[in-house]
Amino acid sequence: MVRFGKRQSETERRPDRPDPARQPDPARESTTHHADGTGGDPNAPGPGASPGSTPGTSPGTTPGMAPSTASDTAPDTEKAPESACRPLKTPPAEPPEASAGAPAGLPVGMNLAGHWRPIVVGKPVPPFETVPPRGLSYRPDTVCDGWQTGKMALRLASVRGNQHRYEGRPREDDAAAAWDEDTGTVVFAVADGVSSARQPHIGSQLACRSAVDEMLKQVRGEGAGYVADWDKLLSTVHWQLVEQARRILHRPDAGPEETADLLATTLVAGTATPTDQGVFVHLISIGDSGAWQIKHDKFYRLTGGKAAGSDGLYSSTVDPLPFVPGVVRPLSFALEQLTVLLVGTDGFGDPLGDGNGAVAQHFYYGLLNPVPPLGFAHLLDFSRETYDDDRTLIALWPWNDAPGGPS
C-alpha cells in the first residue's frame, strides 16, 4: 500500500495548545463579532485559553511558500478571538449616502466590504492578493449550504486556503449533504484531496458525490434510514475513483496505484437518523479528516484527525482512497440535544487542536446556534498565522419540530 504525505508545509505542525490560566473575558463578550453579526453570551461557558503561534513564511519571500510570517508571540499575550476579531485592513470611509429605505446617514451597503473581511484569531495572515485557480474547469473559491429538516439543522462550507489562494491552485477539499424525506435521515460526506496527487480536487469531489449517492440509495432501500453495507459504500467510491482515473489517463487497465497518484483523497461519510429516542449518527473515516462534537461546553474528537507521536509531533502521512481498509467499523452514537456534530478536514482540525485554544473559542461561540450559511462560511474562513490549508466543515444540530429554533 502506498502512503502519501499530504502537505509538506503542514508536516509535524503543532496544533493549538491550551493555557489553563486564560479564560474568556466576560466584560468583552458582548462585543464578540460572530459570523451572523450578533454578540456573544457573556455568561456562556467555553473552552479555555489562547495558544501560541507556529512559525511560518511570508508571501513576500519565495513564490510558492505559505503566506504567513514567523511569530514569537507568547501564549499569554495573545488575545482571545472575541476581542481580536477585527478586519485585516481598515476599509476606506464611504460617503454618508442613504440607500433606499434605509435610515438617513447610514452608508450605502452598510460597509459590507469591511464586515466580510476574514475574522482574525490571534495574529493574522499578512494581506496578499488572491490568485484565481488555474485549471481546465470551473472551481469556486468558496461554497456553502444550509437547511433545516424539522429534526436537524445542517450547515456546510468549503473554503480555499490562503496557500492555494496565493499560489493560484484550486480548492482541494469538498463536501456534500442530502436528506431523505421519508426517513428524515441526513447523509453527509467530507473529503480532502491529497496534495501530492495530480488532480486531488477531482478526487475529493467525486468521493463526496458518489458516497452521498450510495448512502441515499441504501437509506431509501433495504437500510430503511440507515446504511446497511459500509463495505459496499467504500467499494462504490473506490470503483468510481478508478473509473475516473482510467478516463482521464486514457488507460483502461489503470489500477489503484495509478488512481492514487492522480486522485487520492480522504473521506468522512455518515448518516444522522432521527428516531423517537433521538438522533443516531453512524460514520466512517478514511485518512486524517475527522469528526468532533461540542458537548458539555467542550470539544471531543470522535474519529480521524492527525495522531500525535511520542515526541508530541503530529504526522501528516495518510492512507487515502482509493485504497480501502480490510476492516470497516463505523462509529455509532446518539447526538444529544444541546450538542453540535462537526465533520471536517484537517484544515479545520489542525488549528482546532485539542479544543482548548483560541480557534476553539472562535467556533464554540460562533456555533452556539445555527448561523446563516454565508455566515458559516465566514466563520470558517478565519485568519490565523500559519494555518493556510483549505478548510471544509459540516455542522449538525439536533432540531425540534417547532419553527424558529433549536431544542
Side-chain angles (χ1 to χ4, degrees), residues 220-287:
R220 291 168 175 167
E222 62 184 29
Y226 299 92
V227 171
D229 191 340
W230 291 99
D231 290 310
K232 182 180 179 182
L233 168 67
L234 290 180
S235 295
T236 298
V237 177
H238 165 91
W239 180 83
Q240 290 281 0
L241 290 170
V242 171
E243 286 297 307
Q244 182 65 28
R246 290 171 177 172
R247 286 190 289 268
I248 294 174
L249 297 173
H250 304 288
R251 284 189 51 192
D253 62 338
E257 297 285 347
E258 293 86 352
T259 301
D261 182 63
L262 185 68
L263 304 175
T265 182
T266 71
L267 177 69
V268 179
T271 62
T273 305
T275 71
D276 293 339
Q277 291 74 41
V279 175
F280 287 89
V281 176
H282 306 270
L283 56 84
I284 57 172
S285 175
I286 307 296

Short mmCIF file of all heavy atoms in Angstrom, two decimals, residues 220-287:
data_model
loop_
_atom_site.label_atom_id
_atom_site.label_comp_id
_atom_site.label_asym_id
_atom_site.label_seq_id
_atom_site.Cartn_x
_atom_site.Cartn_y
_atom_site.Cartn_z
N ARG A 220 -32.75 4.70 1.41
CA ARG A 220 -34.09 4.62 0.82
C ARG A 220 -34.49 3.20 0.45
O ARG A 220 -35.65 2.95 0.09
CB ARG A 220 -34.14 5.49 -0.43
CG ARG A 220 -34.05 6.97 -0.12
CD ARG A 220 -33.80 7.81 -1.37
NE ARG A 220 -33.83 9.24 -1.04
CZ ARG A 220 -33.42 10.20 -1.86
NH1 ARG A 220 -32.91 9.88 -3.06
NH2 ARG A 220 -33.48 11.45 -1.49
N GLY A 221 -33.54 2.28 0.56
CA GLY A 221 -33.83 0.90 0.21
C GLY A 221 -33.91 0.02 1.44
O GLY A 221 -34.62 0.31 2.40
N GLU A 222 -33.11 -1.05 1.42
CA GLU A 222 -33.19 -2.04 2.49
C GLU A 222 -32.67 -1.51 3.82
O GLU A 222 -32.95 -2.08 4.87
CB GLU A 222 -32.41 -3.29 2.09
CG GLU A 222 -30.92 -3.05 1.87
CD GLU A 222 -30.19 -4.28 1.38
OE1 GLU A 222 -30.83 -5.12 0.72
OE2 GLU A 222 -28.99 -4.40 1.68
N GLY A 223 -31.92 -0.41 3.81
CA GLY A 223 -31.43 0.15 5.06
C GLY A 223 -32.49 0.82 5.90
O GLY A 223 -32.32 0.98 7.11
N ALA A 224 -33.59 1.25 5.28
CA ALA A 224 -34.71 1.87 5.98
C ALA A 224 -34.25 2.97 6.93
O ALA A 224 -34.59 2.99 8.10
CB ALA A 224 -35.51 0.81 6.75
N GLY A 225 -33.47 3.89 6.40
CA GLY A 225 -32.99 5.01 7.21
C GLY A 225 -31.55 4.90 7.62
O GLY A 225 -31.01 5.84 8.21
N TYR A 226 -30.91 3.78 7.30
CA TYR A 226 -29.52 3.57 7.70
C TYR A 226 -28.73 3.00 6.52
O TYR A 226 -29.30 2.50 5.55
CB TYR A 226 -29.43 2.60 8.88
CG TYR A 226 -30.14 3.09 10.12
CD1 TYR A 226 -31.47 2.75 10.35
CD2 TYR A 226 -29.47 3.89 11.04
CE1 TYR A 226 -32.13 3.21 11.49
CE2 TYR A 226 -30.12 4.35 12.19
CZ TYR A 226 -31.45 4.01 12.40
OH TYR A 226 -32.10 4.47 13.51
N VAL A 227 -27.41 3.07 6.61
CA VAL A 227 -26.56 2.40 5.64
C VAL A 227 -26.41 0.95 6.06
O VAL A 227 -25.89 0.66 7.15
CB VAL A 227 -25.18 3.09 5.55
CG1 VAL A 227 -24.22 2.27 4.70
CG2 VAL A 227 -25.32 4.50 4.96
N ALA A 228 -26.85 0.05 5.22
CA ALA A 228 -26.83 -1.36 5.57
C ALA A 228 -25.48 -2.01 5.30
O ALA A 228 -25.14 -3.02 5.92
CB ALA A 228 -27.93 -2.10 4.81
N ASP A 229 -24.70 -1.46 4.36
CA ASP A 229 -23.47 -2.11 3.94
C ASP A 229 -22.39 -1.05 3.72
O ASP A 229 -22.30 -0.45 2.64
CB ASP A 229 -23.72 -2.91 2.65
CG ASP A 229 -22.56 -3.83 2.30
OD1 ASP A 229 -21.44 -3.60 2.79
OD2 ASP A 229 -22.78 -4.78 1.50
N TRP A 230 -21.55 -0.82 4.73
CA TRP A 230 -20.49 0.19 4.62
C TRP A 230 -19.37 -0.29 3.68
O TRP A 230 -18.73 0.53 3.02
CB TRP A 230 -19.93 0.50 6.01
CG TRP A 230 -20.89 1.24 6.86
CD1 TRP A 230 -21.70 0.73 7.84
CD2 TRP A 230 -21.17 2.65 6.83
NE1 TRP A 230 -22.46 1.71 8.41
CE2 TRP A 230 -22.16 2.91 7.83
CE3 TRP A 230 -20.69 3.71 6.07
CZ2 TRP A 230 -22.66 4.18 8.07
CZ3 TRP A 230 -21.19 4.99 6.31
CH2 TRP A 230 -22.17 5.22 7.29
N ASP A 231 -19.13 -1.59 3.64
CA ASP A 231 -18.13 -2.11 2.70
C ASP A 231 -18.53 -1.80 1.26
O ASP A 231 -17.69 -1.41 0.44
CB ASP A 231 -17.97 -3.62 2.88
CG ASP A 231 -17.27 -3.98 4.18
OD1 ASP A 231 -16.21 -3.40 4.45
OD2 ASP A 231 -17.79 -4.83 4.92
N LYS A 232 -19.81 -1.93 0.96
CA LYS A 232 -20.29 -1.62 -0.37
C LYS A 232 -20.14 -0.13 -0.66
O LYS A 232 -19.81 0.27 -1.79
CB LYS A 232 -21.75 -2.04 -0.53
CG LYS A 232 -22.29 -1.78 -1.93
CD LYS A 232 -23.76 -2.21 -2.04
CE LYS A 232 -24.28 -1.91 -3.45
NZ LYS A 232 -25.72 -2.27 -3.57
N LEU A 233 -20.37 0.70 0.34
CA LEU A 233 -20.19 2.14 0.16
C LEU A 233 -18.77 2.46 -0.26
O LEU A 233 -18.54 3.18 -1.24
CB LEU A 233 -20.54 2.87 1.47
CG LEU A 233 -20.12 4.34 1.53
CD1 LEU A 233 -20.91 5.19 0.55
CD2 LEU A 233 -20.26 4.89 2.94
N LEU A 234 -17.79 1.94 0.48
CA LEU A 234 -16.40 2.23 0.14
C LEU A 234 -15.99 1.58 -1.18
O LEU A 234 -15.20 2.15 -1.94
CB LEU A 234 -15.48 1.75 1.27
CG LEU A 234 -15.56 2.55 2.57
CD1 LEU A 234 -14.62 1.97 3.61
CD2 LEU A 234 -15.24 4.02 2.32
N SER A 235 -16.53 0.42 -1.47
CA SER A 235 -16.23 -0.22 -2.76
C SER A 235 -16.77 0.62 -3.92
O SER A 235 -16.13 0.74 -4.98
CB SER A 235 -16.85 -1.62 -2.82
OG SER A 235 -16.26 -2.47 -1.86
N THR A 236 -17.93 1.22 -3.71
CA THR A 236 -18.50 2.08 -4.74
C THR A 236 -17.64 3.31 -4.98
O THR A 236 -17.36 3.68 -6.13
CB THR A 236 -19.92 2.53 -4.34
OG1 THR A 236 -20.76 1.37 -4.22
CG2 THR A 236 -20.52 3.48 -5.37
N VAL A 237 -17.18 3.95 -3.91
CA VAL A 237 -16.31 5.12 -4.05
C VAL A 237 -15.00 4.71 -4.71
O VAL A 237 -14.49 5.41 -5.60
CB VAL A 237 -16.06 5.78 -2.69
CG1 VAL A 237 -15.10 6.96 -2.83
CG2 VAL A 237 -17.38 6.25 -2.06
N HIS A 238 -14.44 3.58 -4.28
CA HIS A 238 -13.20 3.06 -4.89
C HIS A 238 -13.38 2.88 -6.39
O HIS A 238 -12.55 3.32 -7.20
CB HIS A 238 -12.84 1.73 -4.22
CG HIS A 238 -11.83 0.93 -4.97
ND1 HIS A 238 -10.47 1.04 -4.75
CD2 HIS A 238 -11.98 -0.02 -5.95
CE1 HIS A 238 -9.83 0.21 -5.55
NE2 HIS A 238 -10.72 -0.44 -6.28
N TRP A 239 -14.47 2.24 -6.79
CA TRP A 239 -14.71 1.95 -8.21
C TRP A 239 -14.88 3.25 -9.00
O TRP A 239 -14.36 3.38 -10.12
CB TRP A 239 -15.96 1.08 -8.34
CG TRP A 239 -16.30 0.74 -9.76
CD1 TRP A 239 -15.78 -0.27 -10.51
CD2 TRP A 239 -17.24 1.42 -10.59
NE1 TRP A 239 -16.34 -0.26 -11.77
CE2 TRP A 239 -17.24 0.76 -11.84
CE3 TRP A 239 -18.10 2.50 -10.39
CZ2 TRP A 239 -18.06 1.16 -12.90
CZ3 TRP A 239 -18.90 2.91 -11.45
CH2 TRP A 239 -18.88 2.25 -12.68
N GLN A 240 -15.60 4.23 -8.43
CA GLN A 240 -15.79 5.50 -9.12
C GLN A 240 -14.47 6.21 -9.36
O GLN A 240 -14.23 6.78 -10.43
CB GLN A 240 -16.73 6.40 -8.31
CG GLN A 240 -18.18 5.93 -8.27
CD GLN A 240 -18.95 6.27 -9.53
OE1 GLN A 240 -18.41 6.86 -10.46
NE2 GLN A 240 -20.21 5.88 -9.58
N LEU A 241 -13.59 6.19 -8.36
CA LEU A 241 -12.29 6.85 -8.50
C LEU A 241 -11.44 6.16 -9.56
O LEU A 241 -10.79 6.82 -10.39
CB LEU A 241 -11.56 6.86 -7.16
CG LEU A 241 -12.14 7.78 -6.08
CD1 LEU A 241 -11.47 7.51 -4.73
CD2 LEU A 241 -11.97 9.25 -6.45
N VAL A 242 -11.41 4.83 -9.53
CA VAL A 242 -10.60 4.09 -10.51
C VAL A 242 -11.13 4.33 -11.92
O VAL A 242 -10.35 4.55 -12.87
CB VAL A 242 -10.59 2.58 -10.17
CG1 VAL A 242 -9.93 1.78 -11.30
CG2 VAL A 242 -9.86 2.35 -8.86
N GLU A 243 -12.45 4.29 -12.10
CA GLU A 243 -13.02 4.51 -13.42
C GLU A 243 -12.72 5.92 -13.92
O GLU A 243 -12.44 6.13 -15.11
CB GLU A 243 -14.54 4.28 -13.38
CG GLU A 243 -14.93 2.82 -13.29
CD GLU A 243 -14.48 2.04 -14.52
OE1 GLU A 243 -14.81 2.46 -15.65
OE2 GLU A 243 -13.76 1.03 -14.35
N GLN A 244 -12.77 6.91 -13.03
CA GLN A 244 -12.46 8.28 -13.43
C GLN A 244 -10.99 8.41 -13.84
O GLN A 244 -10.65 9.08 -14.82
CB GLN A 244 -12.77 9.25 -12.29
CG GLN A 244 -12.52 10.72 -12.62
CD GLN A 244 -13.46 11.23 -13.69
OE1 GLN A 244 -14.58 10.74 -13.85
NE2 GLN A 244 -13.02 12.23 -14.45
N ALA A 245 -10.11 7.76 -13.09
CA ALA A 245 -8.68 7.78 -13.44
C ALA A 245 -8.45 7.15 -14.80
O ALA A 245 -7.65 7.65 -15.61
CB ALA A 245 -7.87 7.06 -12.36
N ARG A 246 -9.13 6.08 -15.09
CA ARG A 246 -8.97 5.43 -16.40
C ARG A 246 -9.42 6.35 -17.53
O ARG A 246 -8.79 6.38 -18.60
CB ARG A 246 -9.77 4.12 -16.42
CG ARG A 246 -9.17 3.03 -15.54
CD ARG A 246 -10.09 1.83 -15.41
NE ARG A 246 -9.44 0.77 -14.63
CZ ARG A 246 -10.06 -0.34 -14.22
NH1 ARG A 246 -11.35 -0.53 -14.53
NH2 ARG A 246 -9.41 -1.23 -13.51
N ARG A 247 -10.50 7.10 -17.30
CA ARG A 247 -10.96 8.03 -18.34
C ARG A 247 -9.97 9.17 -18.53
O ARG A 247 -9.67 9.56 -19.66
CB ARG A 247 -12.33 8.58 -17.96
CG ARG A 247 -13.48 7.59 -18.13
CD ARG A 247 -14.82 8.27 -17.99
NE ARG A 247 -15.08 8.66 -16.62
CZ ARG A 247 -15.71 7.93 -15.72
NH1 ARG A 247 -16.13 6.70 -16.06
NH2 ARG A 247 -15.93 8.37 -14.50
N ILE A 248 -9.46 9.71 -17.42
CA ILE A 248 -8.52 10.84 -17.53
C ILE A 248 -7.21 10.40 -18.18
O ILE A 248 -6.65 11.10 -19.03
CB ILE A 248 -8.26 11.44 -16.13
CG1 ILE A 248 -9.54 12.08 -15.58
CG2 ILE A 248 -7.14 12.47 -16.20
CD1 ILE A 248 -9.41 12.57 -14.15
N LEU A 249 -6.71 9.24 -17.77
CA LEU A 249 -5.42 8.76 -18.27
C LEU A 249 -5.51 8.06 -19.62
O LEU A 249 -4.48 7.76 -20.22
CB LEU A 249 -4.81 7.78 -17.24
CG LEU A 249 -4.48 8.36 -15.87
CD1 LEU A 249 -4.06 7.24 -14.92
CD2 LEU A 249 -3.40 9.42 -15.96
N HIS A 250 -6.78 7.78 -20.06
CA HIS A 250 -6.98 7.01 -21.29
C HIS A 250 -6.28 5.66 -21.19
O HIS A 250 -5.66 5.18 -22.15
CB HIS A 250 -6.48 7.78 -22.52
CG HIS A 250 -7.11 9.13 -22.68
ND1 HIS A 250 -8.42 9.29 -23.07
CD2 HIS A 250 -6.61 10.37 -22.49
CE1 HIS A 250 -8.70 10.58 -23.13
NE2 HIS A 250 -7.63 11.27 -22.77
N ARG A 251 -6.44 5.06 -20.01
CA ARG A 251 -5.82 3.77 -19.75
C ARG A 251 -6.84 2.83 -19.10
O ARG A 251 -7.09 2.90 -17.89
CB ARG A 251 -4.62 3.92 -18.83
CG ARG A 251 -3.37 4.49 -19.51
CD ARG A 251 -2.19 4.39 -18.56
NE ARG A 251 -2.05 3.03 -18.02
CZ ARG A 251 -1.24 2.71 -17.00
NH1 ARG A 251 -0.53 3.66 -16.41
NH2 ARG A 251 -1.17 1.46 -16.58
N PRO A 252 -7.48 1.97 -19.87
CA PRO A 252 -8.48 1.06 -19.31
C PRO A 252 -7.93 0.10 -18.27
O PRO A 252 -8.70 -0.47 -17.48
CB PRO A 252 -8.99 0.29 -20.55
CG PRO A 252 -8.63 1.16 -21.71
CD PRO A 252 -7.37 1.84 -21.33
N ASP A 253 -6.60 -0.08 -18.24
CA ASP A 253 -6.00 -1.02 -17.31
C ASP A 253 -5.48 -0.34 -16.04
O ASP A 253 -4.87 -1.01 -15.18
CB ASP A 253 -4.85 -1.76 -17.97
CG ASP A 253 -3.73 -0.82 -18.41
OD1 ASP A 253 -4.02 0.40 -18.59
OD2 ASP A 253 -2.60 -1.28 -18.59
N ALA A 254 -5.68 0.97 -15.87
CA ALA A 254 -5.18 1.67 -14.69
C ALA A 254 -5.80 1.09 -13.42
O ALA A 254 -7.00 0.79 -13.38
CB ALA A 254 -5.47 3.16 -14.79
N GLY A 255 -4.98 0.93 -12.39
CA GLY A 255 -5.45 0.34 -11.15
C GLY A 255 -5.37 1.31 -9.98
O GLY A 255 -5.22 2.52 -10.17
N PRO A 256 -5.45 0.81 -8.76
CA PRO A 256 -5.43 1.67 -7.57
C PRO A 256 -4.17 2.53 -7.45
O PRO A 256 -4.25 3.68 -7.00
CB PRO A 256 -5.55 0.67 -6.42
CG PRO A 256 -6.24 -0.50 -6.99
CD PRO A 256 -5.74 -0.60 -8.40
N GLU A 257 -3.01 1.98 -7.82
CA GLU A 257 -1.78 2.77 -7.69
C GLU A 257 -1.81 4.01 -8.59
O GLU A 257 -1.49 5.11 -8.16
CB GLU A 257 -0.56 1.89 -8.05
CG GLU A 257 -0.34 0.71 -7.13
CD GLU A 257 0.23 1.12 -5.78
OE1 GLU A 257 0.68 2.28 -5.67
OE2 GLU A 257 0.21 0.29 -4.86
N GLU A 258 -2.19 3.81 -9.84
CA GLU A 258 -2.28 4.94 -10.76
C GLU A 258 -3.39 5.90 -10.34
O GLU A 258 -3.26 7.12 -10.46
CB GLU A 258 -2.55 4.45 -12.19
CG GLU A 258 -1.41 3.66 -12.81
CD GLU A 258 -1.46 2.18 -12.45
OE1 GLU A 258 -2.29 1.80 -11.60
OE2 GLU A 258 -0.65 1.42 -13.01
N THR A 259 -4.48 5.36 -9.81
CA THR A 259 -5.58 6.20 -9.34
C THR A 259 -5.16 7.05 -8.15
O THR A 259 -5.48 8.24 -8.08
CB THR A 259 -6.78 5.32 -8.95
OG1 THR A 259 -7.20 4.55 -10.08
CG2 THR A 259 -7.94 6.18 -8.48
N ALA A 260 -4.43 6.45 -7.22
CA ALA A 260 -3.96 7.20 -6.06
C ALA A 260 -3.02 8.32 -6.48
O ALA A 260 -3.06 9.43 -5.92
CB ALA A 260 -3.28 6.26 -5.07
N ASP A 261 -2.17 8.06 -7.45
CA ASP A 261 -1.24 9.08 -7.92
C ASP A 261 -1.98 10.26 -8.53
O ASP A 261 -1.49 11.39 -8.51
CB ASP A 261 -0.30 8.47 -8.96
CG ASP A 261 0.72 9.46 -9.47
OD1 ASP A 261 1.54 9.94 -8.66
OD2 ASP A 261 0.69 9.78 -10.68
N LEU A 262 -3.18 10.02 -9.04
CA LEU A 262 -3.95 11.08 -9.71
C LEU A 262 -5.03 11.69 -8.83
O LEU A 262 -5.20 12.91 -8.82
CB LEU A 262 -4.60 10.49 -10.97
CG LEU A 262 -5.36 11.45 -11.88
CD1 LEU A 262 -4.39 12.42 -12.55
CD2 LEU A 262 -6.15 10.66 -12.93
N LEU A 263 -5.75 10.86 -8.05
CA LEU A 263 -7.00 11.31 -7.40
C LEU A 263 -7.07 10.99 -5.90
O LEU A 263 -8.16 11.02 -5.33
CB LEU A 263 -8.20 10.66 -8.08
CG LEU A 263 -8.36 10.85 -9.59
CD1 LEU A 263 -9.52 10.04 -10.11
CD2 LEU A 263 -8.57 12.33 -9.91
N ALA A 264 -5.97 10.71 -5.24
CA ALA A 264 -6.02 10.28 -3.83
C ALA A 264 -6.77 11.30 -2.97
O ALA A 264 -6.61 12.51 -3.11
CB ALA A 264 -4.61 10.10 -3.30
N THR A 265 -7.59 10.79 -2.04
CA THR A 265 -8.40 11.67 -1.21
C THR A 265 -8.77 10.99 0.11
O THR A 265 -8.85 9.76 0.18
CB THR A 265 -9.69 12.07 -1.95
OG1 THR A 265 -10.47 12.97 -1.13
CG2 THR A 265 -10.55 10.86 -2.27
N THR A 266 -8.97 11.78 1.12
CA THR A 266 -9.55 11.29 2.37
C THR A 266 -11.06 11.31 2.25
O THR A 266 -11.63 11.85 1.29
CB THR A 266 -9.13 12.17 3.56
OG1 THR A 266 -9.81 13.44 3.47
CG2 THR A 266 -7.63 12.40 3.59
N LEU A 267 -11.74 10.74 3.24
CA LEU A 267 -13.21 10.74 3.22
C LEU A 267 -13.75 10.50 4.62
O LEU A 267 -13.27 9.60 5.32
CB LEU A 267 -13.75 9.67 2.27
CG LEU A 267 -15.27 9.53 2.21
CD1 LEU A 267 -15.90 10.75 1.54
CD2 LEU A 267 -15.69 8.25 1.47
N VAL A 268 -14.72 11.30 5.02
CA VAL A 268 -15.58 11.00 6.15
C VAL A 268 -17.00 11.00 5.62
O VAL A 268 -17.43 11.98 5.00
CB VAL A 268 -15.45 12.03 7.29
CG1 VAL A 268 -16.39 11.66 8.45
CG2 VAL A 268 -14.03 12.10 7.79
N ALA A 269 -17.71 9.90 5.82
CA ALA A 269 -19.08 9.78 5.32
C ALA A 269 -19.96 9.23 6.43
O ALA A 269 -19.53 8.38 7.21
CB ALA A 269 -19.13 8.87 4.10
N GLY A 270 -21.20 9.73 6.51
CA GLY A 270 -22.06 9.25 7.57
C GLY A 270 -23.52 9.62 7.38
O GLY A 270 -23.90 10.31 6.43
N THR A 271 -24.31 9.12 8.32
CA THR A 271 -25.75 9.37 8.34
C THR A 271 -26.16 9.84 9.72
O THR A 271 -25.54 9.49 10.73
CB THR A 271 -26.54 8.10 7.99
OG1 THR A 271 -26.27 7.09 8.99
CG2 THR A 271 -26.15 7.56 6.62
N ALA A 272 -27.22 10.64 9.76
CA ALA A 272 -27.84 11.05 11.03
C ALA A 272 -29.33 10.79 10.89
O ALA A 272 -30.01 11.41 10.06
CB ALA A 272 -27.57 12.53 11.31
N THR A 273 -29.83 9.86 11.68
CA THR A 273 -31.21 9.39 11.55
C THR A 273 -32.02 9.74 12.78
O THR A 273 -31.67 9.33 13.90
CB THR A 273 -31.24 7.87 11.34
OG1 THR A 273 -30.41 7.52 10.22
CG2 THR A 273 -32.66 7.38 11.10
N PRO A 274 -33.12 10.50 12.64
CA PRO A 274 -33.95 10.83 13.80
C PRO A 274 -34.87 9.66 14.17
O PRO A 274 -35.42 8.99 13.30
CB PRO A 274 -34.77 12.04 13.31
CG PRO A 274 -34.87 11.84 11.83
CD PRO A 274 -33.59 11.16 11.41
N THR A 275 -35.00 9.42 15.47
CA THR A 275 -35.90 8.39 15.98
C THR A 275 -36.64 8.96 17.19
O THR A 275 -36.37 10.09 17.62
CB THR A 275 -35.13 7.13 16.42
OG1 THR A 275 -34.38 7.42 17.61
CG2 THR A 275 -34.17 6.66 15.33
N ASP A 276 -37.55 8.19 17.73
CA ASP A 276 -38.25 8.62 18.95
C ASP A 276 -37.30 8.75 20.13
O ASP A 276 -37.59 9.46 21.09
CB ASP A 276 -39.36 7.62 19.29
CG ASP A 276 -40.48 7.62 18.26
OD1 ASP A 276 -40.60 8.62 17.52
OD2 ASP A 276 -41.20 6.61 18.17
N GLN A 277 -36.16 8.07 20.08
CA GLN A 277 -35.18 8.13 21.17
C GLN A 277 -34.10 9.18 20.92
O GLN A 277 -33.22 9.36 21.75
CB GLN A 277 -34.52 6.77 21.37
CG GLN A 277 -35.43 5.69 21.94
CD GLN A 277 -36.43 5.16 20.91
OE1 GLN A 277 -36.07 4.96 19.74
NE2 GLN A 277 -37.66 4.97 21.33
N GLY A 278 -34.14 9.87 19.77
CA GLY A 278 -33.15 10.89 19.48
C GLY A 278 -32.53 10.68 18.10
O GLY A 278 -32.99 9.83 17.32
N VAL A 279 -31.50 11.44 17.81
CA VAL A 279 -30.81 11.36 16.52
C VAL A 279 -29.61 10.42 16.68
O VAL A 279 -28.77 10.63 17.55
CB VAL A 279 -30.34 12.74 16.05
CG1 VAL A 279 -29.52 12.63 14.77
CG2 VAL A 279 -31.54 13.66 15.83
N PHE A 280 -29.54 9.41 15.81
CA PHE A 280 -28.43 8.45 15.87
C PHE A 280 -27.53 8.65 14.66
O PHE A 280 -28.00 8.73 13.52
CB PHE A 280 -28.96 7.02 15.93
CG PHE A 280 -29.55 6.67 17.26
CD1 PHE A 280 -30.89 6.90 17.51
CD2 PHE A 280 -28.76 6.14 18.28
CE1 PHE A 280 -31.45 6.60 18.76
CE2 PHE A 280 -29.30 5.84 19.52
CZ PHE A 280 -30.65 6.07 19.76
N VAL A 281 -26.23 8.74 14.93
CA VAL A 281 -25.23 9.02 13.91
C VAL A 281 -24.36 7.78 13.70
O VAL A 281 -23.96 7.12 14.66
CB VAL A 281 -24.34 10.21 14.33
CG1 VAL A 281 -23.24 10.45 13.30
CG2 VAL A 281 -25.19 11.47 14.50
N HIS A 282 -24.07 7.48 12.44
CA HIS A 282 -23.15 6.41 12.06
C HIS A 282 -22.21 6.99 11.01
O HIS A 282 -22.68 7.57 10.02
CB HIS A 282 -23.90 5.20 11.50
CG HIS A 282 -24.98 4.68 12.41
ND1 HIS A 282 -24.74 3.72 13.36
CD2 HIS A 282 -26.29 5.01 12.51
CE1 HIS A 282 -25.86 3.46 14.01
NE2 HIS A 282 -26.81 4.23 13.51
N LEU A 283 -20.91 6.83 11.19
CA LEU A 283 -19.97 7.39 10.21
C LEU A 283 -18.68 6.58 10.17
O LEU A 283 -18.33 5.86 11.10
CB LEU A 283 -19.69 8.86 10.51
CG LEU A 283 -19.16 9.27 11.89
CD1 LEU A 283 -17.64 9.12 11.97
CD2 LEU A 283 -19.54 10.71 12.19
N ILE A 284 -17.98 6.73 9.04
CA ILE A 284 -16.68 6.11 8.83
C ILE A 284 -15.68 7.18 8.42
O ILE A 284 -16.07 8.23 7.88
CB ILE A 284 -16.73 5.00 7.77
CG1 ILE A 284 -17.26 5.56 6.45
CG2 ILE A 284 -17.55 3.81 8.25
CD1 ILE A 284 -17.16 4.59 5.29
N SER A 285 -14.40 6.92 8.64
CA SER A 285 -13.36 7.89 8.31
C SER A 285 -12.18 7.18 7.66
O SER A 285 -11.69 6.18 8.19
CB SER A 285 -12.90 8.61 9.59
OG SER A 285 -11.81 9.47 9.31
N ILE A 286 -11.76 7.69 6.50
CA ILE A 286 -10.58 7.19 5.79
C ILE A 286 -9.61 8.36 5.67
O ILE A 286 -9.92 9.38 5.06
CB ILE A 286 -10.93 6.67 4.39
CG1 ILE A 286 -12.06 5.64 4.46
CG2 ILE A 286 -9.69 6.11 3.72
CD1 ILE A 286 -11.70 4.38 5.20
N GLY A 287 -8.41 8.23 6.25
CA GLY A 287 -7.46 9.32 6.23
C GLY A 287 -7.58 10.21 7.45
O GLY A 287 -8.17 9.83 8.47
#
